[in-house]
Short mmCIF file of all heavy atoms in Angstrom, two decimals:
data_model
loop_
_atom_site.label_atom_id
_atom_site.label_comp_id
_atom_site.label_asym_id
_atom_site.label_seq_id
_atom_site.Cartn_x
_atom_site.Cartn_y
_atom_site.Cartn_z
N GLY A 1 -0.39 28.06 9.29
CA GLY A 1 0.96 27.99 8.67
C GLY A 1 0.93 27.45 7.28
O GLY A 1 -0.09 27.52 6.51
N ASP A 2 1.93 26.69 6.94
CA ASP A 2 2.05 26.17 5.55
C ASP A 2 1.19 24.88 5.32
O ASP A 2 0.76 24.33 6.38
CB ASP A 2 3.54 25.82 5.27
CG ASP A 2 4.43 27.01 5.18
OD1 ASP A 2 3.85 28.13 4.88
OD2 ASP A 2 5.64 26.91 5.50
N ILE A 3 1.09 24.52 4.04
CA ILE A 3 0.45 23.28 3.75
C ILE A 3 1.48 22.35 3.16
O ILE A 3 2.17 22.67 2.22
CB ILE A 3 -0.73 23.52 2.64
CG1 ILE A 3 -1.73 24.49 3.23
CG2 ILE A 3 -1.35 22.19 2.24
CD1 ILE A 3 -2.76 24.82 2.20
N TYR A 4 1.50 21.11 3.69
CA TYR A 4 2.37 20.06 3.24
C TYR A 4 1.63 19.01 2.53
O TYR A 4 0.62 18.53 2.96
CB TYR A 4 3.13 19.48 4.46
CG TYR A 4 3.91 18.25 4.23
CD1 TYR A 4 4.98 18.18 3.28
CD2 TYR A 4 3.54 17.03 4.81
CE1 TYR A 4 5.62 17.02 2.98
CE2 TYR A 4 4.24 15.81 4.57
CZ TYR A 4 5.30 15.87 3.64
OH TYR A 4 5.97 14.69 3.39
N ILE A 5 2.15 18.67 1.35
CA ILE A 5 1.50 17.62 0.50
C ILE A 5 2.48 16.46 0.31
O ILE A 5 3.49 16.55 -0.45
CB ILE A 5 1.09 18.15 -0.86
CG1 ILE A 5 0.17 19.33 -0.75
CG2 ILE A 5 0.48 17.11 -1.73
CD1 ILE A 5 -0.16 20.06 -2.00
N PRO A 6 2.22 15.32 1.05
CA PRO A 6 3.18 14.22 1.01
C PRO A 6 3.12 13.48 -0.29
O PRO A 6 2.09 13.39 -0.94
CB PRO A 6 2.77 13.35 2.17
CG PRO A 6 1.35 13.60 2.38
CD PRO A 6 1.18 15.05 1.99
N LYS A 7 4.24 12.96 -0.73
CA LYS A 7 4.28 11.99 -1.92
C LYS A 7 3.64 10.64 -1.51
O LYS A 7 4.00 10.11 -0.40
CB LYS A 7 5.66 11.85 -2.37
CG LYS A 7 5.75 11.05 -3.65
CD LYS A 7 7.22 10.97 -4.18
CE LYS A 7 7.34 10.15 -5.47
NZ LYS A 7 8.73 10.10 -5.89
N LEU A 8 2.73 10.11 -2.35
CA LEU A 8 2.06 8.91 -2.02
C LEU A 8 2.47 7.76 -2.88
O LEU A 8 2.89 7.97 -4.05
CB LEU A 8 0.53 9.12 -2.20
CG LEU A 8 -0.05 10.33 -1.48
CD1 LEU A 8 -1.58 10.37 -1.73
CD2 LEU A 8 0.17 10.15 0.01
N GLU A 9 2.41 6.53 -2.36
CA GLU A 9 2.59 5.28 -3.13
C GLU A 9 1.57 5.31 -4.21
O GLU A 9 0.37 5.66 -4.02
CB GLU A 9 2.42 4.05 -2.28
CG GLU A 9 3.66 3.68 -1.47
CD GLU A 9 3.38 2.39 -0.71
OE1 GLU A 9 2.53 1.61 -1.11
OE2 GLU A 9 4.12 2.12 0.26
N LYS A 10 1.93 4.71 -5.35
CA LYS A 10 0.87 4.67 -6.47
C LYS A 10 0.50 3.27 -6.84
O LYS A 10 -0.02 2.98 -7.88
CB LYS A 10 1.45 5.42 -7.74
CG LYS A 10 1.65 6.95 -7.51
CD LYS A 10 2.00 7.60 -8.77
CE LYS A 10 2.09 9.14 -8.55
NZ LYS A 10 2.52 9.86 -9.78
N THR A 11 0.91 2.29 -5.97
CA THR A 11 0.45 0.94 -6.26
C THR A 11 -1.00 0.77 -5.99
O THR A 11 -1.57 1.42 -5.15
CB THR A 11 1.30 -0.05 -5.40
OG1 THR A 11 1.17 0.38 -4.02
CG2 THR A 11 2.75 -0.04 -5.72
N GLU A 12 -1.59 -0.22 -6.63
CA GLU A 12 -3.04 -0.53 -6.47
C GLU A 12 -3.30 -1.07 -5.10
O GLU A 12 -2.61 -1.95 -4.61
CB GLU A 12 -3.52 -1.47 -7.53
CG GLU A 12 -5.08 -1.70 -7.48
CD GLU A 12 -5.55 -2.69 -8.52
OE1 GLU A 12 -4.72 -3.13 -9.31
OE2 GLU A 12 -6.74 -2.97 -8.48
N ALA A 13 -4.30 -0.47 -4.41
CA ALA A 13 -4.54 -0.90 -3.06
C ALA A 13 -4.99 -2.33 -2.98
O ALA A 13 -4.50 -3.09 -2.03
CB ALA A 13 -5.71 -0.04 -2.42
N LEU A 14 -5.75 -2.87 -3.86
CA LEU A 14 -6.25 -4.27 -3.88
C LEU A 14 -5.03 -5.21 -4.09
O LEU A 14 -5.06 -6.32 -3.56
CB LEU A 14 -7.28 -4.50 -4.96
CG LEU A 14 -7.96 -5.81 -4.90
CD1 LEU A 14 -8.54 -6.14 -3.58
CD2 LEU A 14 -9.06 -5.97 -5.98
N ALA A 15 -3.95 -4.78 -4.75
CA ALA A 15 -2.82 -5.60 -4.89
C ALA A 15 -2.17 -5.80 -3.49
O ALA A 15 -1.65 -6.88 -3.14
CB ALA A 15 -1.81 -4.99 -5.91
N GLY A 16 -2.22 -4.70 -2.69
CA GLY A 16 -1.73 -4.85 -1.36
C GLY A 16 -2.55 -5.84 -0.46
O GLY A 16 -2.04 -6.50 0.34
N VAL A 17 -3.87 -5.81 -0.65
CA VAL A 17 -4.82 -6.69 0.05
C VAL A 17 -4.42 -8.13 -0.32
O VAL A 17 -4.25 -8.97 0.60
CB VAL A 17 -6.28 -6.47 -0.31
CG1 VAL A 17 -7.16 -7.44 0.36
CG2 VAL A 17 -6.63 -5.05 0.09
N VAL A 18 -4.29 -8.41 -1.65
CA VAL A 18 -3.95 -9.70 -2.03
C VAL A 18 -2.55 -10.18 -1.55
O VAL A 18 -2.39 -11.32 -1.07
CB VAL A 18 -3.98 -9.83 -3.61
CG1 VAL A 18 -3.49 -11.13 -4.13
CG2 VAL A 18 -5.45 -9.59 -4.06
N GLU A 19 -1.59 -9.29 -1.55
CA GLU A 19 -0.28 -9.64 -1.08
C GLU A 19 -0.34 -9.97 0.46
O GLU A 19 0.28 -10.89 0.90
CB GLU A 19 0.63 -8.36 -1.23
CG GLU A 19 1.93 -8.41 -0.49
CD GLU A 19 2.97 -9.36 -1.09
OE1 GLU A 19 2.78 -9.86 -2.26
OE2 GLU A 19 4.02 -9.65 -0.47
N ASP A 20 -1.12 -9.18 1.20
CA ASP A 20 -1.28 -9.39 2.62
C ASP A 20 -1.90 -10.76 2.85
O ASP A 20 -1.44 -11.48 3.76
CB ASP A 20 -2.11 -8.31 3.19
CG ASP A 20 -1.84 -8.07 4.65
OD1 ASP A 20 -0.81 -8.44 5.14
OD2 ASP A 20 -2.63 -7.35 5.34
N PHE A 21 -2.91 -11.14 2.07
CA PHE A 21 -3.58 -12.39 2.24
C PHE A 21 -2.67 -13.54 1.89
O PHE A 21 -2.56 -14.52 2.69
CB PHE A 21 -4.79 -12.42 1.26
CG PHE A 21 -5.62 -13.65 1.43
CD1 PHE A 21 -6.17 -14.03 2.66
CD2 PHE A 21 -5.92 -14.41 0.27
CE1 PHE A 21 -6.97 -15.15 2.74
CE2 PHE A 21 -6.72 -15.55 0.31
CZ PHE A 21 -7.24 -15.92 1.55
N VAL A 22 -1.94 -13.42 0.87
CA VAL A 22 -0.98 -14.49 0.46
C VAL A 22 0.09 -14.67 1.52
O VAL A 22 0.39 -15.83 1.85
CB VAL A 22 -0.40 -14.25 -0.94
CG1 VAL A 22 0.69 -15.26 -1.29
CG2 VAL A 22 -1.48 -14.21 -2.00
N MET A 23 0.64 -13.56 1.98
CA MET A 23 1.64 -13.68 3.04
C MET A 23 1.14 -14.29 4.29
O MET A 23 1.88 -15.00 4.99
CB MET A 23 2.31 -12.34 3.31
CG MET A 23 3.17 -11.78 2.09
SD MET A 23 4.55 -12.83 1.72
CE MET A 23 3.93 -13.65 0.26
N ALA A 24 -0.14 -13.96 4.63
CA ALA A 24 -0.67 -14.54 5.91
C ALA A 24 -0.89 -16.01 5.68
O ALA A 24 -0.66 -16.82 6.67
CB ALA A 24 -2.03 -13.83 6.11
N VAL A 25 -1.31 -16.45 4.46
CA VAL A 25 -1.54 -17.92 4.31
C VAL A 25 -0.22 -18.68 4.20
O VAL A 25 -0.06 -19.74 4.79
CB VAL A 25 -2.43 -18.04 3.02
CG1 VAL A 25 -2.43 -19.55 2.63
CG2 VAL A 25 -3.75 -17.50 3.17
N THR A 26 0.72 -18.13 3.39
CA THR A 26 1.87 -18.89 3.09
C THR A 26 3.06 -18.77 4.08
O THR A 26 3.90 -19.56 4.25
CB THR A 26 2.42 -18.57 1.67
OG1 THR A 26 2.72 -17.19 1.66
CG2 THR A 26 1.43 -18.88 0.63
N LYS A 27 3.10 -17.57 4.77
CA LYS A 27 4.17 -17.26 5.65
C LYS A 27 3.74 -17.05 7.10
O LYS A 27 4.62 -16.89 7.97
CB LYS A 27 4.94 -16.00 5.25
CG LYS A 27 5.37 -15.95 3.81
CD LYS A 27 6.51 -16.91 3.53
CE LYS A 27 7.07 -16.78 2.15
NZ LYS A 27 8.11 -17.76 1.85
#
């Protein structure tokens, strides 16, 4: 059938890691 190409987030992955770490520590 067809091919679907989803739109992706363009934020830096490592920024997500750091955010996750900070939220785990502080919250």
Side-chain angles (χ1 to χ4, degrees):
D2 294 332
I3 300 173
Y4 166 62
I5 302 173
K7 185 178 180 180
L8 307 180
E9 280 185 17
K10 293 186 178 180
T11 54
E12 185 181 357
L14 188 54
V17 176
V18 170
E19 168 74 12
D20 209 15
F21 183 55
V22 173
M23 290 300 102
V25 172
T26 61
K27 306 291 185 184

